[in-house]
Amino acid sequence: ACSLLHSPKGFPKLKNDTFLRAARGEQTEHTPVWCMRQAGRYLPEFRETRASQDFFATCRSPKLCCELTLQPLRRFPLDAAIIFSDILVVPQALGMEIVMVPGKGPTFTEPLKEVEDLLKLRQKVDVTAELGYVFQAITLTRHSLEGKVPLIGFSGAPWTLMSYMIEGGGSTTMAKAKSWLYRHPEASHRLLRLLADVIIDYLVGQVAAGAQALQLFESHAGHLGPELFQDFALPYIRDIAQAVKSKLKEEALPLVPMIIFAKDAHYALRDLAHAGYEVVGLDWTIRPQEARAQIGKDVTLQGNLDPCALYAPKEKIGELVKKMLESFGTQRYIANLGHGLYPDMNPEHVGAFVEAVHAHSRHINKH
């Protein structure tokens, strides 16, 4: 299905808008469901498609991104697709080099060590020149979906990207990146501002290319406490929502729903509820009722089944989903996991999760 023959616009009519309706707070017949990392290594067909390719070469191939995005939708009746890409394409656009090291994950060849290293970064990024391959993948995928479900675009948030750029890869403590926040607050803000500006243009470009919703991943929020989050994460999260919306208006582009997912940021739920996003994504460490109490009735919640629950027998998955739906309520809610799918998960259990959300939410809505 993924050929580049289609005209760039004139997208197929959307057949299932349940996810978009829930994001906007409209009534839905069933609770929509999708999974973070749904295009991923838990699928044998994903491993096959990716086998011979370097990871970032895959990200730069619109045809492969399209194929990988569609794979889970061929198996499961998911209510949304999320474009196959990676949050680290933004640091690449700033001129940083990243390699995928087997068994270790993404690794920066030269992480930022000193404040002077900020001068090595591109200060003005032309997102179409640097990230146009993502835009092409979105346009191609939007056509290839044939209106089946909406397509979500995404980006990493500034603090999460900054932490990778300084740590040079994954880290359990983020001590190097956090030390910048304490030792070099001004330089940290310069870097975060630079990232935010690129992210804003990148997200607007994704909508221009055909993305129908956007998710911002603040995956490393849990490494910050309330004060650091308030100073170094929240202002940029707010600013991104505001700036993206005003640019979409200026460019007469659709005002798409935006989702903020700040992992482990329970201390910031009230702030996130007022940060300008239609949807707040939750990890599995938060009680649904408490999240709803803090976030209020005007924002849609997304989440938050423990991904490891998918290791349970299928009947148990059904019970856990039912309990989750009863806790969140079936409206103003998008079912998801509290984090991404893990590579060793059984696809059949993912299917059981998706089907349980549909079946139980329909049943609850009827009664």
Side-chain angles (χ1 to χ4, degrees):
C2 302
S3 74
L4 278 164
L5 299 172
H6 298 281
S7 68
K9 293 292 176 278
F11 291 124
K13 190 171 162 4
L14 185 57
K15 298 176 188 129
N16 171 5
D17 66 350
T18 315
F19 163 81
L20 294 177
R21 293 166 60 83
R24 292 192 296 255
E26 297 165 15
Q27 285 283 123
T28 60
E29 281 177 25
H30 68 265
T31 297
V33 54
W34 66 280
C35 297
M36 291 184 270
R37 300 224 175 110
Q38 63 189 26
R41 291 170 295 178
Y42 72 101
L43 290 176
E45 58 269 37
F46 176 96
R47 293 195 295 272
E48 217 165 279
T49 307
R50 276 263 306 108
S52 58
Q53 279 278 5
D54 164 70
F55 178 81
F56 287 108
T58 305
C59 290
R60 286 189 287 271
S61 159
K63 274 180 110 149
L64 284 175
C65 289
C66 175
E67 167 58 25
L68 294 170
T69 303
L70 294 182
Q71 282 177 351
L73 292 154
R74 296 191 189 117
R75 278 187 184 247
F76 316 118
L78 294 152
D79 292 289
I82 183 165
I83 193 68
F84 175 81
S85 185
D86 195 270
I87 64 171
L88 298 180
V89 299
V90 170
Q92 286 178 328
L94 289 168
M96 295 190 82
E97 194 189 333
I98 308 163
V99 291
M100 257 309 170
V101 178
K104 189 180 168 207
T107 307
F108 286 71
T109 51
E110 291 180 47
L112 304 174
K113 288 200 172 74
E114 303 304 327
V115 169
E116 297 71 66
D117 294 341
L118 294 181
L119 299 172
K120 297 180 191 166
L121 300 174
R122 280 193 190 100
Q123 302 304 306
K124 272 271 168 264
V125 175
D126 174 345
V127 293
T128 309
E130 300 300 329
L131 295 166
Y133 59 89
V134 180
F135 302 156
Q136 289 174 356
I138 286 173
T139 302
L140 177 57
T141 306
R142 176 85 188 266
H143 282 294
S144 305
L145 276 167
E146 295 173 333
K148 191 173 176 174
V149 294
L151 179 61
I152 304 169
F154 70 90
S155 173
W159 154 250
T160 294
L161 296 178
M162 170 183 171
S163 62
Y164 273 114
M165 291 160 75
I166 294 171
E167 296 290 340
S171 156
T172 51
T173 59
M174 298 291 158
K176 287 179 192 158
K178 285 176 72 176
S179 83
W180 273 53
L181 304 181
Y182 285 109
R183 286 168 37 228
H184 313 302
E186 291 83 5
S188 296
H189 279 299
R190 271 210 317 275
L191 174 54
L192 291 162
R193 183 71 261 163
L194 175 63
L195 283 162
D197 289 342
V198 176
I199 291 163
I200 289 160
D201 289 345
Y202 180 44
L203 290 173
V204 171
Q206 291 186 47
V207 176
Q212 290 153 292
L214 298 168
Q215 178 155 313
L216 190 67
F217 284 87
E218 189 70 281
S219 311
H220 296 169
H223 292 277
L224 303 176
E227 282 79 18
L228 288 179
F229 188 83
Q230 196 76 39
D231 288 347
F232 295 101
L234 188 63
Y236 300 99
I237 288 170
R238 280 195 186 120
D239 187 51
I240 288 166
Q242 210 178 341
V244 166
K245 287 175 180 183
S246 72
K247 287 197 175 198
L248 291 176
K249 275 198 188 111
E250 269 165 44
E251 297 178 28
L253 289 165
L255 278 177
V256 303
M258 294 177 73
I259 308 165
I260 175 66
F261 175 63
K263 188 172 179 293
D264 295 321
H266 349 107
Y267 55 79
L269 287 183
R270 282 179 204 281
D271 288 324
L272 291 169
H274 298 111
Y277 293 77
E278 285 69 27
V279 184
V280 172
L282 303 169
D283 62 73
W284 70 91
T285 65
I286 301 169
R287 287 193 178 88
Q289 292 94 331
E290 279 174 28
R292 184 62 83 188
Q294 289 193 49
I295 287 170
K297 302 261 189 294
D298 301 328
V299 176
T300 295
L301 298 180
Q302 174 177 282
N304 73 339
L305 191 73
D306 181 352
C308 291
L310 298 189
Y311 295 123
K314 287 188 203 169
E315 305 68 57
K316 179 70 177 162
I317 295 171
E319 286 164 33
L320 293 167
V321 165
K322 182 170 180 278
K323 195 174 154 199
M324 180 171 81
L325 285 160
E326 286 164 352
S327 302
F328 277 109
T330 59
Q331 301 299 322
R332 258 213 181 277
Y333 172 54
I334 297 161
N336 204 317
L337 304 172
H339 196 39
L341 286 159
Y342 301 148
D344 63 347
M345 286 181 165
N346 181 341
E348 282 182 26
H349 288 221
V350 178
F353 167 65
V354 173
E355 276 151 32
V357 170
H358 287 163
H360 288 297
S361 63
R362 282 204 173 95
H363 182 79
I364 293 168
N365 286 342
K366 274 205 186 90
H367 300 275

